[in-house]
Amino acid sequence: MTRHLLITGGAGFIAGNLVHHWAATHPQDRLVVLDALTYAGNLATIGPLIDAGRVQFVHGDIGDASLVTEVLQAQAISHVAHLAAESHVDRSISGPGAFLRTNVGGTFTLLEAFRVHWLAKGSPEHWRFLHVSTDEVFGSLEPQDPPFSESTAYSPRSPYAASKAASDHLARAWQHTYGLPVLVSNCSNNYGPYHFPEKLIPLTLINILLGRPIPVYGDGSNVRDWLYVHDHCRALERVLLAGEPGSTYCIGGNNEVANLDLVSLLCDLMEELAPDLPVRPCRELIRFVADRPGHDRRYAIDASHIRRTLGWEPQVTVQEGLRRTVQWYLANRGWWEPLLSPEYSGYLEAQYGASLGA
Ligand code: NAD
Ligand code: TYD
């Protein structure tokens, strides 16, 4: 059966990768992307698929109820993968309003419009709404704590995490109250191609290439569980196609790395793979800068539920995934160089001070 899949935020990092994955693995499905093209959205990520007529692109806001309703109806959408969001913790600290508007208000608008659309079509059983969320809703772990799982209580600690937690609650409430076939996934930190330069891994790679300082918050001992984005896309595909409506799936890489170790690995890989670096050894670029307010110490995911129920496991080790990522940024300067705009330099300056700006 042909699915009509709406991917929100499809010009962003993870959803852009998901668009590529879905186009390659489900050629019979109709693909529609709705994206507001905020600073984090980049049409170049999915441009070739749009040009080839493989993806219908709609420029708009998930908080625009009449637009969302029109897209659902006109495209006869049967499946939604909802990834549109404000996603950067540091920006949520300096400007939380957009996070509340998009992550909470936008998710509400989308859920409600999909519910009305689903009801109007007689509540088809095979329709699905996948709400894609983060492990940050669970709070912060101490070094000896067991990893987060589906039964971990919510304890969000940043405006970003709080807004995602609120949207997760909405998604589950729409399933529980209205019977809408909603699934929720909570994933650990992703990395890979098409990652906007503000996040730690692309920021480090690009700063090394430009000979600029690498900012490490605090003492660099905070730990994240890194997952290669293609593995996340495979997990989202399994959840959307075979997940149980009403269920939650924790997705993680089983790859806990402290930030300073991660940056050091990236320095080694760049020295091996990139010719003509402006500064060698790259480690000389590392700068310990003021810590992020409320910086969560450690995230880690126990992904045994999705492994057991849906047979998903990560396939890419962190060593291999980081190597592929470095190679991708080296081969795709044309994708990231235009993102280093005056607006982005202004962000860097406000976030890190003049020494790390353009
Ligand atoms: P991103 O910031 O790279 O992309 C977000 C996309 O959403 C952009 O294309 C942007 O233009 C679009 N967008 C923002 N506001 C919008 C609005 N109001 N209407 C329509 N489109 C809008 O994000 P990402 O890092 O790829 O994250 C995607 C999703 O996955 C988010 O929901 C995030 O919470 C979740 N997630 C991310 C990670 C991670 O490591 N990046 C991990 C787990 C979960
Ligand atoms: P980030 O990529 O922003 O993801 P998240 O905050 O969602 O985990 O950051 C990953 C880790 O790297 C996090 O512990 C914060 C840290 N970090 C730095 O040390 N320096 C930086 O410049 C950035 C952006 C992040």
Side-chain angles (χ1 to χ4, degrees), residues 201-258:
I201 289 179
L203 181 74
T204 299
L205 298 183
I206 290 171
N207 282 11
I208 289 174
L209 284 172
L210 301 178
R212 290 184 187 159
I214 304 167
V216 173
Y217 294 157
D219 62 2
S221 65
N222 298 64
V223 170
R224 298 293 183 262
D225 176 0
W226 292 96
L227 179 68
Y228 192 58
V229 65
H230 292 173
D231 276 331
H232 188 194
C233 292
R234 289 175 41 254
L236 296 178
E237 178 188 18
R238 289 294 296 145
V239 173
L240 197 56
L241 298 184
E244 184 70 30
S247 291
T248 292
Y249 296 90
C250 279
I251 304 167
N254 203 18
N255 270 316
E256 290 186 52
V257 189

Side-chain angles (χ1 to χ4, degrees), residues 46-86:
I46 52 170
L49 293 169
I50 297 171
D51 294 343
R54 182 65 191 88
V55 171
Q56 308 288 312
F57 179 72
V58 182
H59 183 196
D61 194 316
I62 55 164
D64 180 343
S66 49
L67 173 70
V68 169
T69 299
E70 187 197 312
V71 171
L72 293 175
Q73 290 177 356
Q75 302 286 348
I77 296 300
S78 57
H79 291 66
V80 176
H82 173 37
L83 293 96
E86 290 291 339

